[in-house]
Amino acid sequence: GMIAAILPDEGKPSSYIEFYEKLKTQVPTVTINPHYWLQYAMAIMSTDNLEDAELILNTAYGKAEKNSNYDTTYIDNQFARLNLKKAINEDNPSLGFSFFEKAHSILKREEYDIYKFRQAGLYLKFYDKRYNNLSKGNKVKFEYALKLIVKQYEEYLSYEYPSGDVPPYHTENIDESSSTFSNKV
C-alpha cells in the first residue's frame, strides 16, 4: 500500500512539494511518520535541491529511530541516491568518490528489489561525468563497485523473470553497465 505511493522521479516536483507542505499544516500528525518525511525528501530531491533533501531525510531517520519496528530500507535507499547525486555534482574527485562510496556501501547490502536497482543508472551517470578524473585506485574501486551491482542486478532479474522474459529497460541498463568496462577488462 504505502510503498505503491512512493513518488516517481517524473511528474511536477513543485506540486508534490506544495502537497507535502500543505499536508504538514493540515494534518500535523503526519509529521510523526517517517514515511511522510521520506516522500517529502524524494519530492525535494527530484528538484536537485540536495541540501534540503538531506535535512529532510535526516528528519525521516530521526522519526524512524523513535519507532523501533520501522524498517529504514527505503530511507537508506534514498540516502544512497542522495549521495550518488552529490557524487555526480561534486567537482573535487576525492570528495566526490567518498560520496559515491557512501552510497555504494548502502546499496550493495540492500535486499534485491527494484528500488535498489533503480539507483544503478546513477552509477553510469557518475561514470560518464566523473570517472576520468578519479585517481587510479578509485577508478579500480569504482569498476569493482559497478561490476558488483551489475552482478546483483543480473541475479535479481534471473530470479524475477525465470523464463528469461526480461523487460527491455532492464536489459538496456545491464548492457550499458556491462559494456562500460568490457573494452578495458
Side-chain angles (χ1 to χ4, degrees):
M2 252 198 326
I3 299 314
I6 283 192
L7 295 171
D9 285 347
E10 293 77 38
K12 295 195 178 61
S14 56
S15 57
Y16 286 140
I17 292 165
E18 225 172 283
F19 168 75
Y20 288 111
E21 285 168 357
K22 262 203 194 99
L23 193 61
K24 194 165 54 173
T25 52
Q26 291 171 356
V27 193
T29 52
V30 297
T31 61
I32 58 174
N33 185 341
H35 200 77
Y36 163 81
W37 295 101
L38 167 63
Q39 296 205 310
Y40 190 7
M42 288 169 74
I44 298 275
M45 208 188 313
S46 67
T47 67
D48 267 333
N49 176 349
L50 302 183
E51 276 176 51
D52 286 353
E54 186 156 11
L55 288 172
I56 295 169
L57 273 182
N58 284 330
T59 304
Y61 275 124
K63 302 292 177 184
E65 273 169 24
K66 295 186 175 75
N67 180 347
S68 57
N69 57 8
Y70 186 86
D71 176 5
T72 62
T73 299
Y74 292 100
I75 305 176
D76 297 338
N77 184 277
Q78 291 303 309
F79 188 67
R81 181 178 186 79
L82 176 85
N83 277 284
L84 285 170
K85 285 180 166 254
K86 281 166 70 169
I88 291 162
N89 291 349
E90 179 54 58
D91 290 328
N92 174 320
S94 61
L95 184 58
F97 193 72
S98 71
F99 291 137
F100 172 81
E101 283 193 304
K102 205 182 268 186
H104 180 65
S105 68
I106 295 169
L107 288 172
K108 70 180 182 187
R109 291 192 311 264
E110 282 198 336
E111 279 179 41
Y112 292 10
D113 69 19
I114 194 56
Y115 302 104
K116 167 181 175 133
F117 296 113
R118 198 176 273 169
Q119 313 312 339
L122 291 173
Y123 282 50
L124 296 176
K125 217 176 235 175
F126 178 78
Y127 172 79
D128 289 339
K129 203 164 171 200
R130 299 296 176 191
Y131 177 81
N132 287 335
N133 297 326
L134 295 178
S135 68
K136 224 176 193 153
N138 285 348
K139 279 182 175 167
V140 171
K141 285 182 189 169
F142 176 79
E143 292 181 29
Y144 277 116
L146 182 66
K147 282 179 183 159
L148 177 68
I149 287 293
V150 169
K151 186 173 156 285
Q152 292 183 342
Y153 199 173
E154 286 173 331
E155 287 167 6
Y156 163 75
L157 291 175
S158 60
Y159 173 78
E160 276 300 289
Y161 306 98
S163 64
D165 200 15
V166 179
Y169 64 92
H170 286 304
T171 348
E172 284 158 24
N173 283 346
I174 293 281
D175 291 346
E176 200 182 333
S177 306
S178 304
S179 65
T180 300
F181 293 117
S182 53
N183 54 348
K184 299 196 181 71
V185 176

